[in-house]
Amino acid sequence: MLQLLQHLGDGRTLLVDAPAPNPRAGTLVIQTSRTLVSAGTERMLVDFGKAGWIGKVRQQPEKIRAVLNKVRAEGLIATVQAVRAKLDQPIPLGYCSVGTVVDCPNAVKGESEIVNYGEAGDPHFPIANLPSPAGAAIRAGDRVVSNGPHAQVVAVSSRLCAKIPDTVSDDAATFTPLAAIALEGIDLLGVGPGEKVVVTGLGLIGQLAVRLLRARGCEVLGFDPAADRRALAERFGAMTAAPEADPVSAALAWTKGEGVAGVLITASTSSNQVVSQAARSCRYRGKVVLVGVVGLQLNRADFYRNEVSFQVSCSYGRRDHTGPGSVRANFDRVLGWMAEGKLAVEDLITHRFAFEKAPAAYEKLADRNAIGILLEYQSSEVGAQRSETRGQELTASSLFARTIALKESTEAKTGLKVALIGAGNFAGRTLLPTLEKLERAPALATVVSNQGASAYILAEKFGARRASTDEGVVYSDPEIDAVFITTRHDNHAEQTLTTFQAGKHVWVEKPLCLTLEELRALERAVSGAGNRSLETNRATSPTLMVGFNRRFAPMAVKLREASRNRGGVLELRMTINAGRIDPDHWTLNPKSGGGRIVGEACHFIDLSRYLIGQPISEVRCTRRDEDGQDGGCFELGFASGARATIDYRTDLPPHVPKELIQASGQGWTATIHNWATLTSSGLNGLKIGSRWSRSPKKGHPEALKAFLGAVGGGATPVPADEIFEVSRWAIVMQGMRVGDVVNRDW
């Protein structure tokens, strides 16, 4: 299938052949008929990509502080490498898609895609405006609108899709996500018939906001420097002000000095004046809602006198539920108004392009008169389509192909071939670049990801022969020697077990698994591997490796060598500046991520086990944070009396080192500072590294080299029983609370 990507590094818009997405439970697989270019958002992305370094900094000044903090915490080289890696990763474009459902994975189990829309009479969700009865199911063959990208086939969560009424055209339905963005902002304003509202910025979302407000019976005053946009808003009953007019004076004059009920900001500008002017335009307890992107250095005095409130709108609604205020509910409301003739949108279409000509469509974004750019997709029945980027014909059968051939991969320097399952940030920015630089690097045969674009991007960048959304092609390929698993945590156990049972060596990123039941299943598989016939020509059983790279870091190895047999009691203290993450991040979800102790702090359980060189005998929990960030402090005891404290912090400033490892014994101390320096006293002058001149060396290349050595017939880098021990303690510690003490014989 064809998909559109945007390169943030240089601004190129790419039309590529990518595998069709993987049908998963909870998603709908949709063949696209139309997509709409979001002129504001996508123009911003294109402009950002084409800008030089200075231009990029000017467009996103809020990122400077984060970059400086990273420099202070991890060094200049590591920061530059991280920024370059981020800019070197193309991203999918688009979020306004219409098409026909071709697969509902839940339907296999007899389940329906049913949404509870709330009770009749809810003022935030008028049932009368639904395009179909509340709770209507979406099934194969239905036309739907979704937030899917510009691609011939998309797989989208059913919560982010809505069924299109028969009386609404595909062209009109593509405006639904953008209209839902405007609607969410209007809902936050809470305005009703007869109230006066200002809309600042009359681009595509601003125009939709004007029409929705007018449909509600509100009076609207619009501001925009472009005369044609002001004229378009006036056609639908808005008043507008000349660009030279002072917005505050104009709003006060319009309301005879009272001030407006609210201001909806849909503009994109770095100026702080937009919010200031909006606040000063409001009446007593008026509201300012930000939908666009503007400067946010707020002046308290602007809001103080009239007790004006300020709120930022959450795109087109909440994604984590299906009731009022959810994405699907807002989509349905918009479609309902379209079906009833209360919201007209097709006159906003200014340009049409065949999807195969999409790169040319993006050149039109430089034209500020281009408001609604529609991309039209041929149906598979029309005939073959041709990709301009690769010259490969796409027939009806290949449109849904989940595995595509890119090119013959380079010969492996070791004769080994590997595959990757999971194409996220770690795989693209750390694992594969490190693997590629090894002196004896293997050949990358296949990259697999649920989303075809992700698989394609990494496969193309790192020279893989195939990109796929079907992990089965990896398990069944006899040429693949080893598999790297970098998927979400809840997939690790099953994918590791399947890979191992297929007779292939497996490297799974931490954690190995999330539950003790999964761990026992893996232990049985590994212990029985030598007693069963594997579908492989290898004389030995496959190697199991978890990505506990810290134990392979040169500083950790040197510290263990220097401190071994020194006598006395060894004490470790590890302070981890993990930082705060979005409360909705999947790693905090017990089902998908398992939590940050089992998912991230397991690194330091393993490092303690390695440095002390003995099994863990006891763990005591001395702190568990209650702020939803899953931090905590744990004391690990060992049979010899050695102790290790793992203080996993989420409340430290970002410039504080990410990892601080302090060790002490009889007559000596040592400190590893963010894996950039190792300093010591009493260890024969042991000192390594320079904080400012080198990148943190966390052991990734050394760990990969050790694993590939085992794949080639060498010794197993980490004994399986040690991997299982660390994994078991990580699972147990995840569930511990303050004061809990767990002994090895639990």
Side-chain angles (χ1 to χ4, degrees), residues 564-707:
R564 182 178 294 177
N565 302 322
R566 293 285 298 190
V569 176
L570 176 60
E571 296 277 352
L572 293 175
R573 182 171 184 84
M574 305 181 182
T575 304
I576 316 305
N577 182 14
R580 299 185 66 82
I581 59 177
D582 190 315
D584 295 327
H585 196 280
W586 63 268
T587 56
L588 291 170
N589 185 308
K591 292 184 178 180
S592 60
R596 299 180 78 178
I597 302 302
V598 70
E600 298 174 9
C602 57
H603 263 312
F604 308 99
I605 303 171
D606 179 73
L607 181 59
S608 300
R609 176 69 175 80
Y610 169 75
L611 290 175
I612 292 176
Q614 297 175 353
I616 301 167
S617 60
E618 178 186 276
V619 174
R620 179 186 301 272
C621 178
T622 61
R623 191 191 79 251
R624 286 310 300 268
D625 299 341
E626 297 181 356
D627 59 355
Q629 289 293 309
D630 210 18
C633 187
F634 303 86
E635 294 180 356
L636 283 59
F638 298 79
S640 64
R643 303 198 69 80
T645 299
I646 299 174
D647 193 6
Y648 190 84
R649 302 289 297 273
T650 63
D651 58 350
L652 297 176
H655 65 270
V656 172
K658 293 290 185 182
E659 299 174 23
L660 185 66
I661 316 297
Q662 298 168 299
S664 63
Q666 186 174 352
W668 64 271
T669 63
T671 301
I672 295 175
H673 187 284
N674 211 39
W675 302 102
T677 62
L678 166 60
T679 56
S680 70
S681 173
L683 287 180
N684 300 322
L686 178 64
K687 181 179 180 180
I688 303 174
S690 168
R691 179 182 178 188
W692 298 105
S693 63
R694 298 171 184 244
S695 302
K697 298 186 182 300
K698 298 181 180 180
H700 291 108
E702 292 81 7
L704 288 169
K705 184 178 179 180
F707 172 66

Side-chain angles (χ1 to χ4, degrees), residues 11 18 152 171 243 308 333 393 410 416 429 444 464 612 646 659 670 720 745-746:
Q152 289 178 315
D171 288 357
V308 174
R333 292 168 67 192
E393 286 192 352
T410 56
L416 299 175
R429 299 178 188 177
L444 181 61
I612 292 176
I646 299 174
E659 299 174 23
D745 298 328
W746 71 76

